[in-house]
Amino acid sequence: MFIDTHAHLYTGEFDPDRDAVIERALAAGVGRVVLPDIDSTTREAELTLAARYPGLMLPLLGIHPTSIREDYRDELAALERGLARHAARGIGECGIDLYREKTRYKEQVIAFEWQLHAARELDLPVIIHSREAFREVVAVLKRQHHDMRGIFHCFPGDAEDARRVIDLGFLLGIGGVVTFKNSLMATVVRETGLDRVVLETDAPYLAPAPRRGTRNESACIPLIAAKIAELTGRAASEVEEITTRNALELFSLQPQTSN
Ligand SMILES: [Zn+2]
């Protein structure tokens, strides 16, 4: 069984054929899909999908850094209510994005720290989004005085950055980018190995080669695993086994049951 640790299958891109997308994921061997939250406008769709496929879909609650606007206090309040009402499997995705959203840096940091605190209170893993903000995200993490666990989603660095992230307690989320030509991720998985790696699609974005540029979906996970197998000289089944074990452990899941 594979686990897709990052897929936004509840967004409008999947409205026409969501059930078929999920059937294809299951047929491809993907037995669990983690649904990262974006903000209060997407939360209901996400939780509805998770409720429709209990055990298969694992919903997270959080606020994406590009959703941090002047009303971010309201977003945090809505998130707090959501966390009180729903059993989230983790916090996120949260973090800092200075690519799409340069203007709200201070507010992004406040919201990120709030979510790290919530994760500690609830003893949940954190799924981190970092874009053009690796140093800033690491600085925030280093200011936390508690153990953290989670995933650096769509891991954005080189092998040395990977080591720093792992030392902070995080796993590397590796997705379609690893299949792109001259991808830095290829070097990272070769040098870092698989002990701290989980697989993700980031559907509907970042479809792996040879489907690059099309809508991504969880059924593409084996393409990512195959590329990692090729890069690390391991069998695809080993990549599946190790990355699934890492994800099960992070989300405190049993391998066989559907809890
Ligand atoms: Zn995402």
Side-chain angles (χ1 to χ4, degrees), residues 13-231:
E13 284 88 343
F14 297 102
D15 282 351
D17 60 344
R18 186 170 287 105
D19 288 335
V21 165
I22 291 160
E23 267 170 43
R24 282 197 291 275
L26 289 167
V30 178
R32 302 279 172 91
V33 179
V34 177
L35 302 175
D37 197 3
I38 299 172
D39 59 36
S40 61
T41 67
T42 59
R43 198 159 295 142
E44 195 185 317
E46 183 207 334
L47 291 167
T48 303
L49 177 62
R52 190 167 149 79
Y53 293 95
L56 173 57
M57 302 283 163
L58 309 173
L60 311 178
L61 291 180
I63 309 167
H64 194 289
T66 59
S67 294
I68 300 298
R69 288 178 281 268
E70 48 295 1
D71 66 346
Y72 77 101
R73 292 274 169 207
D74 297 337
E75 274 295 334
L76 287 173
L79 174 59
E80 191 168 22
R81 287 194 299 277
L83 287 168
R85 256 179 236 156
H86 304 281
R89 309 307 294 249
I91 301 291
E93 55 189 292
C94 58
I96 304 175
D97 189 318
L98 299 178
Y99 175 76
R100 277 189 289 178
E101 204 56 65
K102 282 187 181 54
T103 48
R104 307 235 170 251
Y105 174 63
K106 237 176 62 189
E107 293 84 350
Q108 287 190 48
V109 170
I110 293 169
F112 184 27
E113 288 184 327
W114 191 99
Q115 293 178 83
L116 290 170
H117 179 78
R120 180 183 58 171
E121 294 288 299
L122 298 165
D123 190 24
L124 290 171
V126 187
I127 282 50
I128 293 181
H129 170 105
S130 162
R131 192 156 183 207
E132 306 215 338
F134 184 74
R135 273 191 326 176
E136 289 82 355
V137 166
V138 167
V140 169
L141 294 175
K142 284 199 164 150
R143 284 205 295 274
Q144 311 306 306
H145 296 291
H146 58 271
D147 287 345
M148 288 170 289
R149 69 184 200 279
I151 299 170
F152 241 81
H153 137 69
C154 196
F155 174 71
D158 58 21
E160 197 189 314
D161 295 335
R163 183 46 54 198
R164 294 165 72 195
V165 160
I166 289 166
D167 288 346
L168 284 163
F170 287 85
L171 300 165
L172 312 176
I174 305 287
V177 174
V178 76
T179 68
F180 299 171
K181 273 203 173 62
N182 306 318
S183 167
L184 193 57
M185 279 315 94
T187 323
V188 170
V189 291
R190 251 190 249 116
E191 290 186 23
T192 315
L194 298 179
D195 288 351
R196 300 293 287 167
V197 166
V198 291
L199 305 179
E200 63 173 38
T201 56
D202 202 15
Y205 312 108
L206 295 172
R211 295 178 53 165
R212 191 172 181 180
T214 67
R215 184 188 68 174
N216 198 4
E217 59 178 72
S218 296
C220 291
I221 282 283
L223 290 173
I224 297 162
K227 184 65 188 187
I228 294 175
E230 180 195 318
L231 291 168

